[in-house]
Structure formats: C-alpha cells, structure tokens
C-alpha cells in the first residue's frame, strides 16, 4: 500500500509539473523582506501540545533578523554557540519521510509585476534573473530528494536548460514538528521559509565558482498557504563518495582543490568568516567536475564569544580541539577551523593520497596530516594544494621518474587499436585502461610498468589540467584508421 501511495504521489508530481498543467505565475505584492521592512504579524497559532503564539513569533523574528543581517552585508553581534540539533537523514524514503507534492499554482492575470533581484549585488549569470514566468511549461520534472526543511526538484526550462527548484517540504520534519508543537501551519511555514530565504541571500552574497549559482526565485500560492517561496538554482550531481573513490586521482584532487578554494573564500567572505554547521558530502554537488556548496541554510557567520579558552572547545566525534580566546572575547578562527577539520574528515583523508603520483605523496600526506591536526589554517592549506596543482600541471613531479626507460616504440600516425583492452585502476574508462599523461615519456613509463601493456593510443582528448588521455593496450593486431589518434607499439627485439 505504501509503495502504491508513493507511486501515485510520484505520478502527481510528474503530471503537475509536465506540459501545460504547470502555470506558475506572479503573486502581486510578494517579495523577500528588505532591510528595515517588518516581517509583519505572524498568523495566530492554533492549539498545540506545547508552546504558543509568543514563542512562535519569537522564533520567526529571530530568523527574520538573521536574514536581515546577511542582507545588509555584515555579521551582527555574537549569538552564542551554534544551536545543537539533529539533522534528519536526507535519504528519500526514510522513516516518516514521504515524497512531497509540488505546490498547486493559482493562475493570475498576465502582466502581473515581476520580482526585483534577490538581495545582493548584480546577477550571478548573464541575462535577467529568472522569475515565475520562467517556470511556465517546464518539462522533465524529477524529484531529487528532501532534507530537514527543503524538497528539491529537477526541471528543464522551455529553452532546454536544466535547473534545480528548492521549496519548503510540506511533508518534511521541520514543518511537521513545528505544526505539532504550535498548531499553526501558516506560521510554521513562515518559520521554515526564512531558512530558504536565508540560503537565497547567502548564495547571492557569497558568489564564488564553488558556490552554487542562484538563478532566481518565485512566489506562488500553494495548498492553503499564500506566497510560498521557490528558489531556482544551478543543477549539480550529488556527491557519491563510493563512486568518487573509483575515479582517477586527478579528478579526486580537483574536488579537494575546489573545496580548499571554497573554504578560503568562506574564511575571507564579505560577510566575515562563514562556517558550515552541517558539513557533509550531501551538502555539496558536482558541476562539470567542480565541487560546489549547495546547502547554506545552516551556515553561520558569527564567531563564538568567550571569556576563556575553556569556552573555545571545537568538538567532533573522534576528537576535540581547544582554540584560544582572543582579547576581544571571540574564539580565534573557530569558524575557519571547523570547516577545515570537516574537510579533512569527509574529503581529504579519503580522496587526496590514494593512487596519487608517488613523488607527490609526501606533500599530500603533509596536507592531510596538517588539516587533521588543525596545525594549518585555510590560507596555508590552499597554498599547498595550489602547489600540488602546479607540480602536476607543469610536469615537474616527473623529474627523474622516467629517465631510466630504454624501451623503443614505433609510431603509427592516424591510427588506433580497436580491441585488446585491459583494465587498470584508476581508469577514466571502466572497460579499459585509459589514463592521463603529461607527455610521451610518461606514457612510455606507464606502459613499461604494466605487465600487460604492449602498445598505447594517444587521443586528442585532454583533462581539466590539459593532460592528454591515452589508452593502453595488450597488443596491436587490430589497428584501424583514425585521424584523431596516434598509436605507439613496442618495437620487437
């Protein structure tokens, strides 16, 4: 029965969002709160098991003021330690989590006023910011998942571009627990929506190549709640650690370098030092091989206030760190160090050292060890990651590593080998041995170190560092013409 209900809900999602059924138009008079604008009176909460009108209004006000601080562009006074709360498992189909239904749009007359840009300077991409009109007649609707507060969908715009839509999950834990406590559905929606609004503001204020792009937003009527907020963002692929461990070291290093650049930006952002309280792989996505943070509703700008070092304990499941309390009464670099240690325990320790070029491993080990001990800050960590990139991209890591090869190979231009593959790890091709090389000498050295290798085919494809992709083969009995490739076969004798 549960499977049948899920299928019906999924069908409703698709039928609603596909074709002409979806007609999301503007809701006049709705816009994100601007600096100095009051959030307005909160709907009166109904009878709940705990709490009441005053407590719900206080929480809405607190979240509204947080959004206001970020909109104005600077951190406010310290707000104490980050709140401690358990985040739900984001996996769809988890206990008590049902696939949410997209909101029902209330058609409005054409010519309704458009929305102003989201808070912050300019637009994240070329062209005007997307609004409700961009969501008319979308296709290819797909539910991607839900978290503590939000649901995410993938849709294709009429022009063909695929984007992600984020909205408050009406079946989610955040809204549901609030309604159970306060009995006020509309007030609880406003409480949850301020987290989505906060994320929208931060995506705009923290614009960076490793921060997901905000394309626009839309207000619309949904179920029994008017003016619900949907954000339109860049679409990325989820970070699957098991899959990443099977990719090439070069691609894994790119992810770690992306993360290092992101953490440097967060530590020196226009808002101050930003920490990600919910820092896990699922809070990031991959866009064309680059790692980007997508979930910012649990980001925090304020540093932790203190009266002594005992107030500056950075706690993690495996170990704790004590940071110094500054003369100004703030824990020094706590936001930065929290991000850095999480990068170590979720990314660097798994992705950096394994299957790396041997000459780079000592430097990579020092990066992993220093971030694991928090002996470096983000500036030094990024400097060392950029050093690794320079050594790898320039070929300097190959010094003395290929000098001893005496093998001779015959060059066969405009040709390839159609079969005779073997598998190696890590490879860019699961059915064969496809690796990147800096030059021909490195390709020869790899072939000499693979017992099966008798030939290799140099392609005209390159990786993100500009290195050429090369197929390594067990023989050359199936040579075929190919003007985009060059084959090298081991000389007999």
């Amino acid at each position: 029965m549960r499977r049948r209900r899920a299928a019906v809900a999924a069908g409703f999602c698709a039928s609603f969002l596909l074709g002409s059924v979806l007609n999301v138009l503007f809701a006049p008079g709705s816009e994100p709160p601007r600096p100095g604008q009051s959030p307005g009176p909160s709907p009166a909460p109904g009878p709940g098991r705990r709490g009441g009108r005053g407590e719900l209004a206080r929480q809405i006000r607190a979240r509204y003021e947080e959004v206001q601080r970020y909109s104005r562009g600077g951190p406010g006074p310290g707000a104490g330690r980050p709140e401690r709360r358990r985040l739900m498992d984001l996996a769809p189909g988890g206990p008590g989590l049902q696939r949410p239904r997209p909101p029902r749009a209330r058609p409005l007359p054409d010519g309704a006023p458009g929305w102003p840009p989201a808070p912050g300077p300019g637009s994240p991409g070329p062209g005007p910011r997307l609004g409700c009109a961009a969501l008319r007649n979308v296709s290819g609707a797909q539910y991607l998942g839900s978290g503590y507060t939000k649901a995410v969908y993938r849709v294709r715009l009429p022009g063909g571009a695929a984007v992600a839509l984020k909205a408050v999950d009406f079946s989610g834990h955040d809204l549901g627990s609030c309604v159970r406590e306060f009995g006020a559905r509309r007030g609880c929606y406003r409480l949850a929506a301020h987290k989505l609004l906060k994320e929208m503001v931060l995506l705009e204020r923290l614009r960076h190549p490793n921060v997901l792009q905000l394309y626009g937003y839309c207000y619309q009527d949904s179920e029994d709640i008017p003016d619900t907020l949907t954000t339109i963002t860049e679409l990325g692929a989820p970070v699957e650690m098991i899959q990443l461990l099977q990719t090439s070291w070069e691609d894994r290093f790119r992810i770690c370098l992306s993360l290092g650049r992101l953490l440097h930006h967060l530590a020196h952002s226009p808002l101050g030092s930003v920490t990600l309280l919910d820092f896990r792989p699922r809070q990031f996505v991959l866009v064309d091989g680059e790692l980007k943070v997508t979930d910012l509703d649990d980001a925090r700008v304020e540093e932790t206030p203190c009266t002594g070092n005992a107030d500056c304990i950075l706690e993690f499941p495996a170990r704790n760190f004590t940071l110094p309390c500054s003369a100004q009464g703030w824990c020094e670099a706590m936001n930065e160090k929290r991000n850095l240690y999480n990068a170590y325990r979720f990314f660097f320790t798994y992705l950096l050292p394994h299957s790396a070029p041997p000459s780079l491993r000592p430097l990579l080990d020092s990066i992993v060890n220093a971030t694991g001990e928090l002996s470096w800050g983000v500036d030094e960590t990024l400097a060392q990651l950029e050093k690794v990139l320079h050594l790898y991209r320039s070929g300097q890591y190959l010094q003395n590593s290929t000098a001893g090869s005496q093998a001779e190979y015959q060059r066969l231009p405009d040709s390839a080998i159609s079969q005779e593959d073997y598998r190696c790890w890590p490879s860019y091709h699961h059915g064969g041995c496809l690796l990147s090389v800096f030059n021909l000498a490195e390709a020869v050295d790899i072939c000499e170190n693979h017992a099966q290798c008798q030939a290799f085919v140099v392609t005209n494809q390159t990786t993100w560092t500009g290195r050429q992709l090369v197929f390594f083969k067990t023989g050359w009995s199936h040579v075929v013409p190919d003007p985009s490739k060059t084959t090298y076969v081991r000389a007999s004798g």
Side-chain angles (χ1 to χ4, degrees), residues 419-437 443 446-447 449-450 452-453 455-459 469-474:
Q419 300 178 29
E420 300 175 273
D421 290 304
Y422 67 92
R423 293 184 178 182
C424 64
W425 185 86
S427 171
Y428 285 93
H429 189 280
H430 294 299
C433 187
L434 178 63
L435 303 174
S436 72
V437 301
I446 292 173
C447 193
N449 283 282
H450 288 188
Q452 310 98 309
C453 184
F456 57 88
V457 179
V458 179
T459 74
L469 290 176
V470 176
F471 278 103
F472 294 88
K473 303 283 186 170
T474 61

Side-chain angles (χ1 to χ4, degrees), residues 93 156 217 244 257 340 350 376 394:
R156 191 170 295 278
Y217 57 94
L244 289 182
L257 178 63
L340 195 56
Y350 299 111
W376 289 351
S394 66

